[in-house]
Amino acid sequence: RLNGPFIRTNENHNSGALDYLVALAPIMVWSIFVFGERVLMLTFISVLFASSLDYLTQRFIFNRRSGVRFDVSAIVYSVLAVFMMPVSVPLWIPILSAVLVVFSKNARVFRAKRLFNPFVFQAAVLNVLFPKIMTAFTKPFAYFSAFDFSIDPILLEHYRVISPLQYMADGSVYEDGIFAQLYGFASGNIGEIAIFAMILSLIWLCIRKEADWKNTVAYLVPVFLLALCFPSDDAESTYYAFAFLFSGAFVFLSVFATSESCTTPMTKSGKLIFSLLCGIITFALRKLHGGIEWGYYAVLLMNIVAPFIEIATKPKLSKAKKEK
């Protein structure tokens, strides 16, 4: 693959994306176990439409008649998009999600930079347009039919529960405890409930050098410390900090959004600054107005700022080297 002038590697066009698909396997397996076969249906629809639309976009809108290759990254983004939905969404939601993913994937400011992270962008837009649908969380192991276009409202209401993030809206902590969130027995979006599965994903991505654990730490540790310093009035500080950290998409975004090369700074120090600011902004917004996942909007805001962080942290040649 041609990475730059006179630089070639043995990696093919989709090698990095394939590593991400492997990393997503633990989350997918656990999600199917907890939420049932409907996870597979939502994923199938999202992948089918996203990959097809992306190919058609490359072929006809960008008019690339030759050299158009099937881009596995469209599949990765579409799977990540499904993980940011509750299992109760109707089957037209992943279709709209695929459209948003493909739009964001191909909307670039510079040649190599996307304006927004595609899977975060679609989650933010869908939560604004359909807040009731995107926050209709149900009990774990309440399996729904994979082929029902939409779940019966009476059945949905019977199994509906409050998510850990929604508990945070009034300063409370999740009643089933942080271990339920850690091991995936909590309510919430499909891919965000099992922290242990996300840790396995991060380990694989670090081994394959597709992610850096330092970025995840830079995102999570400041949030944990801030939660310790500013706990809820009716919660023990350490318990509150862990519950805050494990709620919503904090860990999910720290693994999959902080090392994404096309929407974060290319420099190592820039990525650390990006991650640090994402966590702090998300914490501040949650404390001011909880109940929704402000992490999406914090990441999108930092996507806009990322090129400027990259410029500020880009290594500069010394005067002696310039003269040479």
Side-chain angles (χ1 to χ4, degrees):
R1 180 179 64 177
L2 187 61
N3 288 332
F6 316 111
I7 300 175
R8 293 182 180 271
T9 72
N10 293 325
E11 296 178 5
N12 60 40
H13 177 66
N14 290 314
S15 59
L18 290 173
D19 287 329
Y20 267 86
L21 285 179
V22 174
L24 291 173
I27 303 176
M28 175 63 74
V29 171
W30 191 257
S31 299
I32 295 171
F33 171 66
V34 174
F35 293 115
E37 60 187 9
R38 192 173 179 84
V39 174
L40 287 174
M41 178 58 74
L42 294 171
T43 304
F44 172 77
I45 294 172
S46 181
V47 168
L48 175 64
F49 277 85
S51 56
S52 301
L53 286 172
D54 186 63
Y55 182 87
L56 294 173
T57 298
Q58 300 297 324
R59 176 65 178 81
F60 295 105
I61 296 180
F62 291 105
N63 202 27
R64 296 172 182 169
R65 293 186 174 85
S66 60
V68 178
R69 292 174 289 185
F70 186 75
D71 192 352
V72 180
S73 68
I75 297 178
V76 174
Y77 288 131
S78 62
V79 175
L80 286 166
V82 170
F83 287 167
M84 303 178 81
M85 304 174 187
V87 73
S88 60
V89 297
L91 297 184
W92 57 266
I93 285 289
I95 298 176
L96 179 55
S97 170
V99 174
L100 294 171
V101 163
V102 172
F103 168 78
S104 184
K105 176 181 177 293
N106 292 285
R108 295 175 182 262
V109 181
F110 306 105
R111 184 177 180 183
K113 285 290 183 184
R114 297 188 178 101
L115 181 58
F116 295 121
N117 186 305
F119 75 88
V120 179
F121 175 78
Q122 66 82 33
V125 172
L126 290 178
N127 274 271
V128 169
L129 296 178
F130 311 105
K132 292 184 178 180
I133 293 177
M134 297 300 291
T135 56
F137 303 113
T138 54
K139 297 176 182 178
F141 307 108
Y143 300 141
F144 301 105
S145 172
F147 302 99
D148 288 344
F149 189 77
S150 61
I151 299 173
D152 182 84
I154 298 176
L155 182 65
L156 180 60
E157 194 62 32
H158 178 73
Y159 287 103
R160 189 164 180 171
V161 293
I162 298 175
S163 73
L165 182 60
Q166 290 169 330
Y167 272 101
M168 286 287 171
D170 60 358
S172 303
V173 293
Y174 188 55
E175 62 181 6
D176 290 339
I178 58 175
F179 285 102
Q181 297 169 265
L182 180 64
Y183 296 116
F185 298 110
S187 57
N189 288 330
I190 292 172
E192 298 174 357
I193 61 167
I195 306 301
F196 85 94
M198 288 175 249
I199 294 173
L200 294 177
S201 299
L202 178 62
I203 292 172
W204 172 256
L205 291 174
C206 290
I207 291 173
R208 298 295 297 170
K209 301 187 185 304
E210 293 294 336
D212 190 340
W213 62 270
K214 296 176 185 175
N215 299 328
T216 298
V217 170
Y219 189 103
L220 297 179
V221 170
V223 172
F224 182 80
L225 296 177
L226 286 169
L228 280 175
C229 295
F230 303 100
S232 171
D233 293 336
D234 58 351
E236 191 272 327
S237 59
T238 304
Y239 187 85
Y240 176 81
F242 276 110
F244 195 100
L245 201 67
F246 291 167
S247 299
F250 253 128
V251 178
F252 190 84
L253 293 174
S254 74
V255 173
F256 295 107
T258 60
S259 297
E260 208 271 342
S261 59
C262 290
T263 55
T264 61
M266 294 298 293
T267 59
K268 290 184 178 180
S269 58
K271 286 184 183 294
L272 290 174
I273 295 171
F274 177 95
S275 303
L276 178 67
L277 292 178
C278 274
I280 293 174
I281 293 171
T282 305
F283 176 84
L285 291 173
R286 274 198 189 183
K287 291 295 287 186
L288 289 173
H289 184 70
I292 64 174
E293 184 46 86
W294 288 102
Y296 306 152
Y297 309 101
V299 170
L300 296 182
L301 174 62
M302 292 307 300
N303 286 159
I304 297 174
V305 179
F308 303 100
I309 297 176
E310 183 174 319
I311 292 171
T313 57
K314 187 177 181 180
K316 295 179 176 60
L317 291 174
S318 65
K319 185 176 180 181
K321 287 185 177 179
K322 285 183 180 179
E323 291 176 353
K324 183 178 179 180

